[in-house]
Amino acid sequence: MFTVRTSVGLDVHARSVVAAAIDDVTGEVTRARLTPSHEHIRSWISELPGPVAVAYEAGPTGFGLYRTLADAGIRCEVVAPSKLQRPSGDRVKTDARDAVHLSRLLRLDEIASVSIPSVGQEAARDLVRAREDCRGDLMRARHRLSKLLLRYGIVYYGGRAWTGVHDRWLRTEAAPQLTKAATRMAFDADYDHVLTMQARRDRLDSAIEEMAADGEFTPIVRRVSCLRGVSTLTGFALAVEIGDWNRFHRQHDWILCGIDSVGVFVGLLAGARPDRQDREHPRTSVAGRGCLAPPNQVSRGCGDAVAVGAGLTGRPRPRGSGQPSPTRQMGRFSGTSQAPGDRQRRDRPRTCWRVLVLGCHGRLIAT
């Protein structure tokens, strides 16, 4: 329940902060444009009639302002921008209107706050996201190098690329085939970039392994790493990005069907609204958590199969003598006679995906 006198909404930017305060007793609305200095913001808030509550949207400015106000004994809420209530007809969006809107929602206690990470957790997140950025840079550097060679008809057929054998082939066989000095210089630049990205990735991997082996996230990393296919890097990323596993406290959330489930958080599937009886689900969103989303993910909502990692093998074959005609395929559902081949395919075991999720008390729950 909202029990403070003044509610303050802050529209925080890198170079300016627009503030709006609503006095619950007098109804007066106070507006101000402040500098992004935390001390300046704290001193302006301290001049308002108390007690005071502050709200601002989560964004690229981080949680430094929250920690400064919390240390000063001021209640502060960091609001999730995706869950802000806004009238559909309100099409004018300015900094001043956003600040007043935040203060009114805070006064009505109609905001959804994000989980505030600790300083150590935020530093670990930076390390994990830096490693993910390095992985993307390495992939793009390798693509530039391989496509440079492809333009001159130089293709590697010796097996898997980007191994020790492939690296030796690049230096001893591929590079001498480039006769022009400008092309050879471009090759050397791209090859050096690949080596730089590989060395940077290895350094970040070593730092993550050291932090995962002896740190505050070691217990949860060891539990998650018990799952097949979950490495130390993946377990550490889950631990630092999720942080407080008790946020997903309801049982149906752990079955990956709730709007606040772990599956929705990491991007395995879209959230299902429990107050709706239809099957309209929002799209999967992994903003800020792209390193947790598996590649080639299949998300159809609650109750459907979720493919984690690689998909099913095999390709569809053209219709031939071994496949039933369209009439026979329709007979399986229209009540007509079934062909012997249809019955055999019906009795054939089907592939089923299972997702294991680590519960808040360390239990593994299979869905």
Side-chain angles (χ1 to χ4, degrees), residues 217-275:
F217 306 103
T218 302
I220 191 66
V221 171
R222 290 178 177 175
R223 293 175 184 175
V224 177
S225 298
C226 293
L227 301 177
R228 182 180 180 182
V230 178
S231 62
T232 302
L233 175 62
T234 304
F236 187 77
L238 285 170
V240 301
E241 291 290 347
I242 293 179
D244 184 14
W245 292 75
N246 294 319
R247 290 185 291 163
F248 313 100
H249 54 85
R250 293 175 295 182
Q251 181 65 24
H252 69 272
D253 286 347
W254 289 107
I255 307 178
L256 306 181
C257 295
I259 58 177
D260 296 325
S261 68
V262 177
V264 175
F265 184 85
V266 302
L268 286 176
L269 77 167
R273 294 182 56 182
D275 57 340

Side-chain angles (χ1 to χ4, degrees), residues 44-123:
W44 181 80
I45 294 176
S46 62
E47 298 175 357
L48 300 174
V52 181
V54 183
Y56 70 95
E57 296 184 35
T61 56
F63 304 98
L65 178 59
Y66 168 85
R67 297 188 180 102
T68 300
L69 298 180
D71 294 340
I74 301 174
R75 175 193 168 188
C76 183
E77 301 289 342
V78 183
V79 185
S82 60
K83 297 183 179 180
L84 275 179
Q85 301 180 13
R86 187 177 297 276
S88 58
D90 190 3
R91 301 178 182 272
V92 180
K93 189 176 187 302
T94 62
D95 296 345
R97 292 171 67 92
D98 289 345
V100 174
H101 184 64
L102 278 174
S103 61
R104 289 174 178 172
L105 290 179
L106 179 62
R107 175 65 189 86
L108 298 174
D109 205 10
E110 294 290 340
I111 59 174
S113 302
V114 301
S115 178
I116 307 298
S118 61
V119 177
Q121 181 182 351
E122 193 171 10

Side-chain angles (χ1 to χ4, degrees), residues 260-330:
D260 296 325
S261 68
V262 177
V264 175
F265 184 85
V266 302
L268 286 176
L269 77 167
R273 294 182 56 182
D275 57 340
R276 297 282 295 273
Q277 298 299 325
D278 53 15
R279 294 179 59 82
E280 295 181 1
H281 307 288
R283 293 183 178 180
T284 305
S285 175
V286 289
R289 299 181 293 273
C291 56
L292 299 182
N296 301 326
Q297 59 186 359
V298 178
S299 176
R300 299 187 183 94
C302 176
D304 295 333
V306 179
V308 181
L312 299 176
T313 59
R315 297 180 179 178
R317 297 175 298 175
R319 181 175 293 109
S321 59
Q323 290 186 336
S325 62
T327 306
R328 290 181 180 179
Q329 289 182 349
M330 294 176 60

Side-chain angles (χ1 to χ4, degrees), residues 195-211:
L195 296 181
T196 302
M197 291 298 102
Q198 287 178 346
R200 182 180 302 174
R201 182 198 59 183
D202 295 340
R203 291 195 301 268
L204 292 173
D205 287 345
S206 301
I208 290 176
E209 290 178 358
E210 293 178 2
M211 186 175 295

Side-chain angles (χ1 to χ4, degrees), residues 25-45:
V25 177
T26 62
E28 180 183 2
V29 179
T30 304
R31 296 180 175 87
R33 181 174 291 273
L34 310 173
T35 63
S37 172
H38 297 170
E39 292 300 325
H40 185 197
I41 298 173
R42 184 194 58 79
S43 62
W44 181 80
I45 294 176

